[in-house]
Amino acid sequence: MKQRQVIIDTERCVGCGLCSRVCVARNIAISGQKAGTIGESCIFCGQCSAVCPQKAISMVGRGDGQVEKEGDVRLCPDDVLNAIRFRRSVRTFQQREIPREVLAQILEAGRLTHTAKNAQDLSFAVLDREKDRVEGMAVRLFRAVRPIAGWFSPLARNSRIDEHFFFFRAPTVIVILANDPTNGVLAAQNMEFVAEANGLGVLYSGFFTMAARASRKIKQVIGVPKGKRVAMTLVLGYPGVKYLRSTPHRALDVRYL
Ligand SMILES: Cc1cc2nc3c(=O)[nH]c(=O)nc-3n(C[C@H](O)[C@H](O)[C@H](O)COP(=O)(O)O)c2cc1C
């Protein structure tokens, strides 16, 4: 038996063709009023199984079971837009731990993130006891390269690289790993939304991500497996600052062609 398989229960199947219509890999066809797989191009996205009104299609060999959708899951557009408008990068944190169940929910948002070609290539490293050591390694690296970077960047020239330059004394840091960093950045965004919904503040640490990518030692401590890259780093905690209004943004730059 193959490791991963789409199994179609022909007793249940009524040949409605919905599964075939949503199959991006064109791997399902209806013949004699029954669905059947026709090739090897399946990316195991599970859409056929998610759309089947007869529950005739099951996916074997990839992860957890499926959750039934109860009613319509739809967010209020104004609320979503305001969440985007009023989220801020937080760099001041309360010295308060993030509860385990909240952390689990944030990681779940990362795990459920959609990925190119359904690669599901995301992994997460939660920095806890190694947080200060890893930050120290990144600080030393940045201090060492600053004289050169300062030639090209006023930001590098003028910034003070103190001991908390990367993580701002936040209680939790999550390093997101992926084969394709685009997938990791998408996960970061989903995780940020769930973190914010839990009252947390988040910072994307592009600087730490750069340091980790450049340092074999940091990658070793984090445990970056072969083939994976450090995609993004999220710094999280309860905010120690409250923003009262949105910030200025450039006018919309769009062309309709
Ligand atoms: C990909 C990315 C990387 C970032 N890296 C850092 C960082 O290393 N350090 C930092 O202080 N802010 C970092 N930021 C935060 C940006 O400076 C911030 O998003 C921007 O100034 C707008 O502010 P706001 O997020 O409060 O709206 C990063 C943001 C993004 C999107």
Side-chain angles (χ1 to χ4, degrees):
M1 183 157 147
K2 284 188 222 155
Q3 270 186 329
R4 295 187 317 185
Q5 253 186 313
V6 176
I7 295 174
I8 301 173
D9 181 340
T10 46
E11 299 272 292
R12 284 177 173 236
C13 176
V14 293
C16 70
L18 279 174
C19 52
S20 171
R21 223 186 294 164
V22 298
C23 179
V24 65
R26 305 209 179 287
N27 201 42
I28 299 182
I30 308 298
S31 165
Q33 299 285 300
K34 299 289 172 194
T37 55
I38 50 176
E40 295 292 322
S41 54
C42 179
I43 61 168
F44 230 67
C45 67
Q47 286 214 7
C48 54
S49 170
V51 81
C52 178
Q54 301 302 117
K55 285 198 190 176
I57 306 183
S58 49
M59 318 293 294
V60 176
R62 179 168 254 181
D64 56 0
Q66 293 168 262
V67 177
E68 289 301 311
K69 190 165 153 189
E70 310 286 352
D72 214 6
V73 182
R74 186 179 291 187
L75 302 171
C76 163
D78 283 340
D79 286 349
V80 175
L81 201 54
N82 277 331
I84 295 165
R85 180 175 285 123
F86 292 115
R87 64 142 295 286
R88 293 276 72 79
S89 294
V90 170
R91 300 182 183 86
T92 307
F93 297 95
Q94 296 171 34
Q95 288 312 299
R96 183 177 149 204
E97 290 301 311
I98 299 174
R100 280 205 162 274
E101 60 278 13
V102 172
L103 191 58
Q105 210 179 51
I106 294 166
L107 291 166
E108 185 67 349
R111 182 181 77 92
L112 293 176
T113 296
H114 59 309
T115 50
K117 295 184 203 147
N118 195 34
Q120 300 197 17
D121 56 340
L122 297 158
S123 311
F124 307 93
V126 181
L127 299 188
D128 184 18
R129 58 183 188 282
E130 296 285 17
K131 179 161 60 76
D132 293 342
R133 178 158 79 110
V134 166
E135 187 172 32
M137 292 162 82
V139 165
R140 284 194 292 283
L141 177 71
F142 260 45
R143 283 180 182 163
V145 300
R146 206 225 327 238
I148 306 158
W151 279 89
F152 307 102
S153 153
L155 188 67
R157 208 163 37 243
N158 298 330
S159 55
R160 204 171 76 78
I161 305 171
D162 66 20
E163 299 300 319
H164 303 286
F165 176 77
F166 295 97
F167 301 157
F168 297 89
R169 296 186 167 84
T172 300
V173 173
I174 303 176
V175 185
I176 303 170
L177 312 174
N179 294 42
D180 177 348
T182 305
N183 296 333
V185 174
L186 278 176
Q189 187 64 79
N190 285 341
M191 292 163 83
E192 179 182 16
F193 273 133
V194 171
E196 289 248 341
N198 276 290
L200 294 170
V202 179
L203 175 72
Y204 278 49
S205 183
F207 283 148
F208 180 79
T209 304
M210 275 167 69
R213 283 178 182 167
S215 161
R216 200 153 41 90
K217 279 189 191 156
I218 294 178
K219 279 190 281 217
Q220 223 166 40
V221 177
I222 293 171
V224 181
K226 210 167 176 259
K228 289 225 169 163
R229 295 171 62 190
V230 178
M232 188 38 69
T233 308
L234 293 182
V235 176
L236 307 111
Y238 289 96
V241 61
K242 194 171 174 180
Y243 294 99
L244 303 178
R245 56 197 63 86
S246 64
T247 56
H249 277 249
R250 283 188 185 166
L252 181 65
D253 179 7
V254 59
R255 278 166 214 78
Y256 297 93
L257 303 167

